[in-house]
Amino acid sequence: MVKPFVPQLVYVEPKALDYPLGKKLITKFEDMGIEIRETTSHNQVRNLPGDNHFQKYRVAKSTLVLGLRKTLKFDTSKPSAEYAIPFATGCMGHCHYCYLQTTMGSKPYIRSYVNVDEIFDAAEQYMSERAPEITRFEASCTSDIVGVDHLTHTLKHVIEYFGKSEHGRLRFVTKFAHVDHLLDAEHNGRTRFRFSINDDYIIKYFEPGTSRLNERIEAAVKVAEAGYPLGFIVAPIYLHEGWKQGYHEMFEKLEAALSEKTKKDLTFEMIQHRFTKPAKRVIQENYPMTKLELDESKRKWKWGRYGIGKYIYKDNEQEDIKDTLGGYINRYFPNSKIEYFT
Ligand code: SF4
């Protein structure tokens, strides 16, 4: 059982203390006996303890920085939503394949933003541009926000904000099961709470530091009982020996745990494993013993965002994934919706 995250070290940007949330959190971390350091900007977070990159990387992953979100221009977030809404960046998990390893570069610490009202104001503008159409915001593009939320309760506040929103909807995804504080949030059905799931082999070998499959399923049951629309992202779909059996067992467990009512409004998203050359270098540096297969010659090259090519599965393997996993979903959850495979 993965325990709820507690940072080893907290940095605070002085301006964060001008916000009630910043003050509240610093008092909380002081009371918890956590070392707190001031920093003029998160970019100044240097001198993390550790003798080498390997150690510093691990300390960074358990360091929390409280600061302000300065860029209030939101990225798009296709295919799952219109925009990415940024309340946190970074993650305490250690998934070997995680895309944050390349996007966060040398700054893998977790940041939580305290200027939440300013982020809401920006969201309002995006919504008004599209109204009366609904605008969906994805809150987990740059972090696993649930993983830190038992400390900050920012996400709870955001869920309640969108609970009152006419034109906005919220969605996020997590690999963490620490959801109890979110169960009584007034979501009004406007937040889709998704869990990232995978078969036992993949969770065991590639997702250290995250909640196990059974814990995620238990949390999903609680979330569904609390009335949230529920979804699952099967990601990354990774082909290993016995993958068909592994995924079959995963879907069987899920089917056995969820109520008939929950199964009626369920979404699935399917994302195959992919990597880029820069990601491969970073993964091999941060997780030198990984069993993750990163052999370009076994993959198909595809033009990617920012001009960096990515390596995905070959066409026949993609068809096999779609048929096999799509088949399990249709068999066990005939009333669910597969939103996309990518
Ligand atoms: Fe990355 Fe998600 Fe794993 Fe965190 S839980 S390390 S965000 S893949």
Side-chain angles (χ1 to χ4, degrees):
M1 164 110 191
V2 169
K3 292 201 185 117
F5 171 68
V6 177
Q8 277 181 33
L9 196 58
V10 169
Y11 281 87
V12 58
E13 296 171 13
K15 285 211 173 102
L17 296 172
D18 295 341
Y19 291 77
L21 179 61
K23 281 201 199 103
K24 193 169 114 190
L25 290 176
I26 283 301
T27 308
K28 177 174 187 158
F29 294 133
E30 275 169 355
D31 291 347
M32 289 168 78
I34 297 169
E35 182 185 340
I36 297 167
R37 297 181 185 175
E38 257 202 26
T39 176
T40 46
S41 150
H42 79 100
N43 289 313
Q44 304 297 321
V45 178
R46 295 210 176 97
N47 303 323
L48 287 173
D51 295 332
N52 52 40
H53 169 81
F54 189 81
Q55 288 176 2
K56 283 182 196 288
Y57 176 76
R58 276 150 183 80
V59 173
K61 281 258 181 189
S62 53
T63 296
L64 179 66
V65 182
L66 293 178
L68 304 191
R69 177 71 186 190
K70 296 197 185 79
T71 315
L72 292 170
K73 188 173 178 305
F74 297 176
D75 282 336
T76 55
S77 178
K78 294 284 175 197
S80 84
E82 276 70 51
Y83 293 105
I85 192 164
F87 294 102
T89 53
C91 179
M92 65 297 298
H94 275 282
C95 305
H96 296 183
Y97 53 72
C98 179
Y99 65 100
L100 292 180
Q101 295 191 56
T102 25
T103 54
M104 303 291 293
S106 56
K107 305 186 186 82
Y109 40 77
I110 300 140
R111 302 185 67 203
S112 183
Y113 303 117
V114 298
N115 55 334
V116 175
D117 289 337
E118 289 160 24
I119 300 170
F120 287 153
D121 288 345
E124 284 298 334
Q125 284 185 12
Y126 284 106
M127 284 186 263
S128 66
E129 277 168 18
R130 288 174 44 86
E133 278 217 40
I134 294 292
T135 303
R136 296 168 304 165
F137 294 92
E138 172 74 63
S140 46
C141 285
T142 51
S143 69
D144 189 315
I145 188 167
V146 175
V148 71
D149 205 64
H150 60 281
L151 296 169
T152 63
H153 287 208
T154 304
L155 186 59
K156 183 170 193 179
H157 184 41
V158 177
I159 290 169
E160 296 195 330
Y161 180 85
F162 280 100
K164 295 194 197 85
S165 167
E166 195 182 343
H167 299 301
R169 296 289 179 274
L170 181 70
R171 47 208 283 138
F172 51 82
V173 60
T174 185
K175 287 188 172 74
F176 291 91
H178 313 119
V179 299
D180 288 359
H181 71 290
L182 299 173
L183 299 178
D184 66 354
E186 289 180 24
H187 56 77
N188 291 327
R190 291 180 176 146
T191 289
R192 188 166 290 273
F193 205 131
R194 291 124 83 221
F195 287 86
S196 166
I197 51 171
N198 228 316
D199 78 3
D200 283 328
Y201 174 94
I202 294 162
I203 293 179
K204 179 174 173 194
Y205 288 109
F206 305 127
E207 299 184 355
T210 65
S211 298
R212 306 294 87 182
L213 179 62
N214 289 346
E215 295 167 331
R216 293 182 212 171
I217 294 178
E218 276 169 31
V221 170
K222 287 192 221 171
V223 160
E225 280 169 3
Y228 282 95
L230 184 66
F232 292 97
I233 304 193
V234 189
I237 299 164
Y238 177 81
L239 304 187
H240 60 88
E241 207 185 315
W243 66 274
K244 289 188 180 178
Q245 179 64 19
Y247 283 111
H248 188 211
E249 284 167 12
M250 180 191 82
F251 282 112
E252 271 183 340
K253 280 184 196 164
L254 204 55
E255 199 272 336
L258 298 179
S259 70
E260 290 310 314
K261 185 164 164 266
T262 305
K263 287 177 203 160
K264 289 208 172 81
D265 175 24
L266 202 55
T267 57
F268 285 96
E269 294 151 82
M270 301 201 285
I271 306 175
Q272 64 176 307
H273 179 247
R274 75 270 322 276
F275 64 93
T276 60
K277 274 195 192 291
K280 178 175 173 173
R281 273 195 297 278
V282 181
I283 292 167
Q284 289 176 336
E285 188 178 26
N286 290 335
Y287 303 102
M289 302 300 285
T290 188
K291 288 159 78 89
L292 198 64
E293 180 268 300
L294 298 166
D295 180 351
E296 291 88 344
S297 70
K298 293 190 176 153
R299 299 290 182 104
K300 172 181 165 173
W301 188 87
K302 190 177 173 197
W303 184 253
R305 230 177 169 185
Y306 314 116
I308 302 172
K310 55 189 172 187
Y311 294 91
I312 57 177
Y313 284 113
K314 294 193 167 152
D315 290 343
N316 60 333
E317 292 169 320
Q318 292 192 38
E319 288 307 311
D320 201 5
I321 291 171
K322 272 193 269 183
D323 289 350
T324 307
L325 272 60
Y328 295 151
I329 293 172
N330 290 334
R331 184 186 334 160
Y332 291 119
F333 307 99
N335 296 317
S336 69
K337 182 171 170 229
I338 299 178
E339 293 195 323
Y340 58 85
F341 166 79
T342 180

